[in-house]
Amino acid sequence: MLDSRICALHTRRMELHSLGGYRLLEPVPTLSSTTRLFLACPESAPDGAPATNLAKVLMPGEGEGFNMVKAQFAHEANLLRSFSHTGIPSLRAAGTQNGVDFFVMDYIAGVDLGELLGHDRGEPRPLSKELAVYILGQLADALRYVHTFEVPTAEGEEGDGFEDLDVLHRDLCPANVYLSLEGDVVLGDFGSASSKWLAPEFTAAEAGHVAYKAPERVTGSGKATVKSDLFSLAMILWEILRGERCFTAGNELETMDEIVRFDISHSSRRVSGLSSKLSEVLRRNLDRDPERRYPHAYKVLQRLSQSSEAGAAEKSRQELSRLVAEAVAERRSTAPAE
């Protein structure tokens, strides 16, 4: 594992000003002990220019644990470099500079979904059904793209010239859903993702926020699959509609026990007032049995588009833009004075 003393020493000595042609503006708080985040902008931008990018820096370490972290870091950069979808941040630069591994991606000015839902304040609130369908529709489309992402086959291999990369996000949660001031919904943080590009020995089985893991991942009875990602997606939908955290246990073991016993058909877990299509999305994809869930994210997208709550996408986008602007203003008003 990483030695925290090495990280602390390196942080004091490492005076980063720019990486890959991007000027670092200020650090961004993160709970990660293995990476650091910085707001950034192109070096060609004038002084005082706003942040347009986010730089992710790998902290130094040693041993087998660090080798896994380093492989996952490079894997995330490779995925972002290859993806091309409006609902996923684009990679702008990556490499090693002065011994520092880094990559730079688009910065989404706004808030994450967890902040909008009040998770950080301990005061969760619901959003409208129409807004929930809009947000989930955008996420489902990004997830459909990720799950079906193909790459060219190696020269000489049989087939149609492309093969599925078998990408799984494995960490779908409100904190990894970014909402822009324009009302865009972006799926981020592929640091826990798996694919054919990442060797099995570097694919941590326990990756992801515990409170959004599917039951089969918690019990170890099944590995991460498309259907476990869909469970996490539906859990986000449940929390948006109910305006509360689903699992609120005080520690991971108790949370895992709650997940294993979770029953969407129980009266205490139901969400009332939904159209039949929207209710089906929740009921099917929050089923404890993965075989009863939808086979792919496109099915989620299809059912959401057929729901009666899906009729006002542009209006919902404008509403989301307004709510994000209010959340940003509130954050600034409560921020401690410098």
Side-chain angles (χ1 to χ4, degrees):
M1 296 299 293
L2 286 174
D3 188 325
S4 59
R5 293 170 297 178
I6 293 177
C7 291
L9 178 62
H10 187 76
T11 300
R12 289 196 297 269
R13 291 182 176 177
M14 185 173 61
E15 296 183 0
L16 294 174
H17 299 289
S18 65
L19 288 170
Y22 288 82
R23 186 165 68 247
L24 305 186
L25 302 177
E26 61 179 281
V28 176
T30 175
L31 297 176
S32 173
S33 62
T34 61
T35 59
R36 294 292 181 268
L37 298 173
F38 297 88
L39 293 179
C41 67
E43 288 183 337
S44 58
D47 291 342
T52 55
N53 302 92
L54 189 68
K56 192 169 187 177
V57 176
L58 179 66
M59 298 301 289
E62 57 187 11
E64 293 184 5
F66 177 70
N67 291 337
M68 174 180 285
V69 170
K70 188 178 178 70
Q72 291 169 340
F73 186 87
H75 179 248
E76 181 178 12
N78 286 334
L79 288 177
L80 294 180
R81 180 185 292 109
S82 303
F83 291 158
S84 179
H85 190 281
T86 56
I88 299 172
S90 295
L91 189 85
R92 300 302 177 184
T96 302
Q97 184 173 314
N98 298 327
V100 176
D101 292 334
F102 73 93
F103 61 82
V104 180
M105 54 188 159
D106 291 338
Y107 169 60
I108 312 303
V111 298
D112 64 55
L113 180 58
E115 184 175 352
L116 187 66
L117 294 176
H119 289 182
D120 58 326
R121 301 186 304 275
E123 301 174 355
R125 64 168 181 174
L127 301 179
S128 69
K129 292 176 288 186
E130 292 75 17
L131 196 50
V133 168
Y134 170 73
I135 292 173
L136 257 290
Q138 301 301 304
L139 285 177
D141 187 59
L143 198 59
R144 172 204 58 79
Y145 174 85
V146 167
H147 285 166
T148 59
F149 186 70
E150 296 180 327
V151 293
T153 55
E155 187 175 349
E157 290 187 5
E158 296 182 359
D160 60 2
F162 290 89
E163 66 170 338
D164 289 335
L165 195 56
D166 294 341
V167 183
L168 299 173
H169 189 280
R170 302 201 309 156
D171 196 16
L172 283 159
C173 64
N176 290 336
V177 177
Y178 308 134
L179 310 173
S180 78
L181 288 165
E182 293 74 33
D184 299 318
V185 180
V186 179
L187 175 60
D189 198 341
F190 285 79
S192 297
S194 64
S195 81
K196 290 179 180 177
W197 280 347
L198 186 63
E201 61 267 27
F202 293 141
T203 305
E206 69 277 7
H209 286 67
V210 173
Y212 297 89
K213 286 184 180 180
E216 65 272 17
R217 290 193 63 200
V218 167
T219 62
S221 61
K223 62 181 182 179
T225 64
V226 165
K227 293 185 176 185
S228 61
D229 269 359
L230 294 185
F231 182 94
S232 304
L233 184 69
M235 183 55 64
I236 293 174
L237 175 60
W238 188 95
E239 292 191 348
I240 293 175
L241 292 168
R242 285 283 295 249
E244 60 182 283
R245 302 292 292 271
C246 188
F247 304 116
T248 57
N251 58 61
E252 287 195 358
L253 285 178
E254 292 178 357
T255 298
M256 292 165 69
D257 183 61
E258 285 188 1
I259 293 172
V260 171
R261 293 186 290 106
F262 178 77
D263 183 0
I264 187 59
S265 66
H266 193 277
S267 59
S268 65
R269 296 299 195 178
R270 293 176 190 160
V271 182
S272 60
L274 305 181
S275 67
S276 60
K277 298 296 185 183
L278 185 54
S279 179
E280 179 190 307
V281 170
L282 273 180
R283 186 180 69 256
R284 288 283 301 277
N285 294 292
L286 286 178
D287 198 297
R288 283 180 292 192
D289 184 354
E291 293 304 313
R292 296 196 183 105
R293 297 175 207 150
Y294 289 165
H296 42 66
Y298 180 74
K299 187 76 170 181
V300 175
L301 191 61
Q302 182 183 49
R303 285 292 183 264
L304 289 174
S305 67
Q306 294 170 344
S307 70
S308 60
E309 295 90 349
E314 184 56 32
K315 182 179 179 181
S316 294
R317 188 174 189 271
Q318 293 172 359
E319 173 68 5
L320 181 59
S321 175
R322 182 185 66 80
L323 291 175
V324 170
E326 290 177 355
V328 170
E330 181 179 356
R331 181 207 296 161
R332 289 172 178 167
S333 67
T334 57
E338 296 184 358

